[in-house]
Amino acid sequence: MQEPTFLILTALAAQPLHGYGVIRAVDELSAGEVKLRPGTLYGALDRLAEQGLVTVDREEAVEGRLRRYYRLSDTGAAALQVQIERLRRHATAAEVQLGKRLGGALIFGTVSAHTLGLVTR
């Protein structure tokens, strides 16, 4: 699963959102690292709907324009959970390997300041 897809599904996990709401949520979830453009988002939402991962929750007219809200389907929630577990396993494996490189200096997932030479006593 690509990162934008993961973030779109994550954005829809708690509640239905309209397109602009998804764009804002993805921006917030990624701390500004992932910027979705409307064309990219709606293409992704169409694809995710075809795959049964998201569904249209409702549509409402706002200032003469149709606003479509999307929600995560049960299938989408299951796919998101599988991806979360996969990413967690990969992150743990990376931490273990990095810990070996640093001589076991990883403490609770962070590198100690002493190992990096930031502490000079």
Side-chain angles (χ1 to χ4, degrees), residues 50-64:
E50 286 174 12
Q51 295 171 353
L53 301 178
V54 302
T55 61
V56 175
D57 184 69
R58 68 186 184 279
E59 294 177 336
E60 58 186 44
V62 177
E63 297 177 8

Side-chain angles (χ1 to χ4, degrees), residues 34-73:
V34 176
K35 303 280 190 195
L36 292 176
R37 296 183 185 273
T40 302
L41 171 67
Y42 289 109
L45 287 170
D46 287 344
R47 180 179 46 77
L48 294 170
E50 286 174 12
Q51 295 171 353
L53 301 178
V54 302
T55 61
V56 175
D57 184 69
R58 68 186 184 279
E59 294 177 336
E60 58 186 44
V62 177
E63 297 177 8
R65 298 182 69 190
L66 190 62
R67 181 177 285 173
R68 184 174 290 164
Y69 285 77
Y70 296 87
R71 69 175 174 81
L72 188 65
S73 68

Side-chain angles (χ1 to χ4, degrees), residues 62-109:
V62 177
E63 297 177 8
R65 298 182 69 190
L66 190 62
R67 181 177 285 173
R68 184 174 290 164
Y69 285 77
Y70 296 87
R71 69 175 174 81
L72 188 65
S73 68
D74 290 342
T75 302
L80 182 58
Q81 185 62 48
V82 166
Q83 184 68 3
I84 290 166
E85 291 166 8
R86 186 181 81 81
L87 291 171
R88 189 173 286 130
R89 283 191 313 271
H90 290 190
T92 298
E95 285 182 324
V96 167
Q97 293 304 310
L98 187 57
K100 290 176 184 177
R101 177 183 199 279
L102 298 172
L106 286 182
I107 302 171
F108 303 110

Side-chain angles (χ1 to χ4, degrees), residues 3-53:
E3 184 178 28
T5 300
F6 176 78
L7 291 169
I8 291 167
L9 296 179
T10 301
L12 294 171
Q15 65 185 358
L17 295 171
H18 56 76
Y20 184 66
V22 173
I23 289 172
R24 287 192 329 234
V26 165
D27 183 61
E28 185 176 314
L29 288 166
S30 70
E33 291 179 7
V34 176
K35 303 280 190 195
L36 292 176
R37 296 183 185 273
T40 302
L41 171 67
Y42 289 109
L45 287 170
D46 287 344
R47 180 179 46 77
L48 294 170
E50 286 174 12
Q51 295 171 353
L53 301 178

